[in-house]
Amino acid sequence: MTTPPSEEPRPAVPYGTPDAPRIAVRGEARLEVDPEIARISVTVASRGKDRRAALDDLTRRNTTALNLIKTYGDAVERLETGAFSITPQLKEGRGERIHAYHGRVHITAELTDFTALGELTTRLADLDLTRVTGPWWALRPDSPAHRQARQQAVREAVQRAREYAEALGTSLAALVELADIGAESAPPAYPAAPSGSRMRSAAYAAEDTTAAPLDLEPQRQRVQAQVNARFTMAPPQL
């Protein structure tokens, strides 16, 4: 005699019963808040007919840029060096004759003081063969704005469900389920493109006079949260 296979537990049916009707709603929240950090990208370049000369110039300019950024102290929350390259430029024609060498170093800086940001970007762009791109405005991953949006979305879901129940002449009984929407596809910490930013890329500059600090207007950040919620309610008298 064979033993019948044990039945797997069936998933809960997402519907209620006449004795415990269910309400399914979505709660949403959209906030606009001031940014907390700003990121800039700095590219230091050099060019020379000799590899060693190009490398020495690049090292000197990179040190100058780093030292300038570090003078802003606590206003700079993070400072990182990215890609470095020394590339030979070949002459046109036959053979592999090198015409010059090009060097580049990429630096990323994150600032929390937006007043210092305008001054720093101007001073960096005023350095020889230095380009500044940005800023990219953002919130920290643990910003209170994210919690505020999530809590507001939950409150809206409860309020919406309560309104439905009141329309039926009854009230909510219990929360059955609360699900965060989009938890596995969260947006990146920094947007891919700084849309709406008030600052353009500062091209390679080598001016003798000191430029006036840029007046940068921080870009408001949009924070949103969505939740799905299911409630049971007391049986209405229809």
Side-chain angles (χ1 to χ4, degrees), residues 42 68 119-133 199-207 211 214:
V42 182
L68 174 57
E119 178 182 309
L120 176 59
T121 50
T122 303
R123 295 179 65 184
L124 286 170
D126 209 30
L127 299 177
D128 291 343
L129 293 180
T130 301
R131 188 172 77 181
V132 182
T133 307
M199 172 186 169
R200 297 182 178 180
S201 299
Y204 291 118
E207 299 292 336
L214 286 169

Side-chain angles (χ1 to χ4, degrees), residues 83-148:
F84 157 78
S85 65
I86 289 287
T87 307
Q89 179 183 2
L90 302 179
K91 286 186 176 181
E92 296 182 359
R94 297 180 179 179
E96 296 184 350
R97 299 178 58 189
I98 297 175
H99 175 64
Y101 288 90
H102 293 270
R104 279 185 175 81
V105 173
H106 297 280
I107 303 169
T108 300
E110 290 182 4
L111 287 87
T112 56
D113 186 338
F114 300 154
T115 301
L117 174 67
E119 178 182 309
L120 176 59
T121 50
T122 303
R123 295 179 65 184
L124 286 170
D126 209 30
L127 299 177
D128 291 343
L129 293 180
T130 301
R131 188 172 77 181
V132 182
T133 307
W136 289 269
W137 309 97
L139 298 173
R140 293 186 179 89
D142 59 349
S143 170
H146 299 297
R147 180 179 63 180
Q148 181 182 353

Side-chain angles (χ1 to χ4, degrees), residues 32-37 114 137-139 143 145 218-221 223:
E32 282 197 3
V33 297
D34 292 329
E36 297 171 341
I37 55 177
F114 300 154
W137 309 97
L139 298 173
S143 170
Q219 180 187 7
R220 298 275 286 177
Q221 301 297 293
V223 183

Side-chain angles (χ1 to χ4, degrees), residues 9-225:
R10 297 180 180 179
V13 180
Y15 303 104
T17 64
D19 294 332
R22 290 192 185 183
I23 300 178
V25 296
R26 172 175 294 187
E28 299 177 328
R30 292 180 174 87
L31 307 178
E32 282 197 3
V33 297
D34 292 329
E36 297 171 341
I37 55 177
R39 184 184 61 160
I40 58 174
S41 176
V42 182
T43 302
V44 180
S46 67
R47 184 177 184 275
K49 293 185 177 181
D50 177 76
R51 179 190 295 270
R52 182 59 183 272
L55 181 59
D56 289 344
D57 286 345
L58 184 63
T59 301
R60 175 175 52 82
R61 290 169 183 159
N62 175 68
T63 301
T64 300
L66 289 175
N67 289 341
L68 174 57
I69 297 173
K70 291 176 181 178
T71 60
Y72 284 80
D74 293 339
V76 181
E77 188 171 88
R78 179 178 299 176
L79 179 60
E80 298 175 340
T81 300
F84 157 78
S85 65
I86 289 287
T87 307
Q89 179 183 2
L90 302 179
K91 286 186 176 181
E92 296 182 359
R94 297 180 179 179
E96 296 184 350
R97 299 178 58 189
I98 297 175
H99 175 64
Y101 288 90
H102 293 270
R104 279 185 175 81
V105 173
H106 297 280
I107 303 169
T108 300
E110 290 182 4
L111 287 87
T112 56
D113 186 338
F114 300 154
T115 301
L117 174 67
E119 178 182 309
L120 176 59
T121 50
T122 303
R123 295 179 65 184
L124 286 170
D126 209 30
L127 299 177
D128 291 343
L129 293 180
T130 301
R131 188 172 77 181
V132 182
T133 307
W136 289 269
W137 309 97
L139 298 173
R140 293 186 179 89
D142 59 349
S143 170
H146 299 297
R147 180 179 63 180
Q148 181 182 353
R150 290 190 291 265
Q151 292 179 341
Q152 184 172 322
V154 172
R155 286 193 293 266
E156 186 191 83
V158 174
Q159 179 62 29
R160 183 175 295 185
R162 182 176 289 122
E163 291 172 357
Y164 285 146
E166 291 174 353
L168 294 170
T170 185
S171 60
L172 298 179
L175 173 67
V176 176
E177 179 182 310
L178 183 66
D180 190 5
I181 299 176
E184 297 180 356
S185 59
Y190 302 100
S195 59
S197 173
R198 302 296 182 87
M199 172 186 169
R200 297 182 178 180
S201 299
Y204 291 118
E207 299 292 336
D208 292 334
T209 58
T210 301
L214 286 169
D215 184 11
L216 303 178
E217 291 293 334
Q219 180 187 7
R220 298 275 286 177
Q221 301 297 293
R222 294 179 178 87
V223 183
Q224 62 180 13

